[in-house]
Amino acid sequence: MTKRLLQPAPTLYPVPAALISVAGEPRPNLITLAWVGVVCSDPPVLSIGVRPTRYSHGLIEAAGDFAVNLPTAAMARAVDLCGNLSGRDEDKFARAGLTAYPATRISSPLVAECPVNVECRLRQAIPLGSHTLFLGEVVAVHAEESVLGANGRPDSAKLEALAYIAGQYWRQGQPLGGSGFSLKD
């Protein structure tokens, strides 16, 4: 096996292509992020990495909360648009044809068209260099009935989740097995 040594880079794939919504004046804003992850289960905490130069960075600090909205593959055009425009200049909700939907426990709105929305209250902001790591405690999760499985949790096969790999958007693939499937042989 031959491997080439590459320059250090944040190489991890796939990552979710998520729409982060945040309250703001004169209007709420959206930012597309692929640097989104789970960092704790009890209490549930998600992380997002945002450049300090991005408009949403200051809005998240001011609001003290944000929502992680998980789009479908069919929403790729809107997701890409929101990642390539600045909310300083225009209303991304309007431009992308998306609907701001009231959250239940935070000030930031949800994206109505996303089948799963996660409300997060800001716990900590950690400057790391080019990005600030925002840690948000999950205070509410909303999911459309149509994407729930028999266990009442989001079903990957029904989500048609949007992933981001090396600068390209991808539709989620086929399941290979559930946790522990290797022990059933």
Side-chain angles (χ1 to χ4, degrees), residues 8-35:
T11 305
L12 182 66
Y13 57 88
V15 290
L19 285 169
I20 309 306
S21 51
V22 61
E25 290 299 328
R27 62 189 167 269
N29 194 46
L30 291 167
I31 182 173
T32 298
L33 295 178
W35 295 4

Side-chain angles (χ1 to χ4, degrees), residues 29 40 48 51 53 64 71 106 110 125 134 147 171-172 176 181:
N29 194 46
C40 190
I48 60 173
R51 287 184 181 272
T53 56
I106 62 173
L110 309 177
F134 289 109
V147 301
R171 180 185 313 268
Q172 178 183 349
L176 302 175
F181 83 100

Side-chain angles (χ1 to χ4, degrees), residues 12-150:
L12 182 66
Y13 57 88
V15 290
L19 285 169
I20 309 306
S21 51
V22 61
E25 290 299 328
R27 62 189 167 269
N29 194 46
L30 291 167
I31 182 173
T32 298
L33 295 178
W35 295 4
V36 176
V38 175
V39 293
C40 190
S41 58
D42 186 19
V45 176
L46 299 185
S47 66
I48 60 173
V50 183
R51 287 184 181 272
T53 56
R54 299 293 295 266
Y55 179 59
S56 291
H57 186 280
L59 296 179
I60 292 168
E61 289 179 322
D65 60 48
F66 57 89
V68 177
N69 303 277
L70 302 176
T72 64
M75 296 176 66
R77 185 176 276 309
V79 171
D80 184 64
L81 184 76
C82 290
N84 284 286
L85 298 174
S86 175
R88 284 184 184 97
D89 304 324
E90 61 187 297
D91 182 341
K92 290 189 193 181
F93 275 98
R95 178 79 183 267
L98 299 173
T99 310
Y101 184 81
T104 57
R105 300 205 174 122
I106 62 173
S107 64
S108 296
L110 309 177
V111 178
E113 290 79 7
C114 290
V116 177
N117 316 89
V118 184
E119 298 184 32
C120 297
R121 188 162 293 121
L122 184 60
R123 283 189 62 156
Q124 193 172 358
I126 306 168
L128 296 175
S130 66
H131 287 69
T132 298
L133 183 69
F134 289 109
L135 301 177
E137 184 171 345
V138 175
V139 294
V141 177
H142 306 264
E144 290 180 8
E145 291 283 340
S146 64
V147 301
L148 298 179

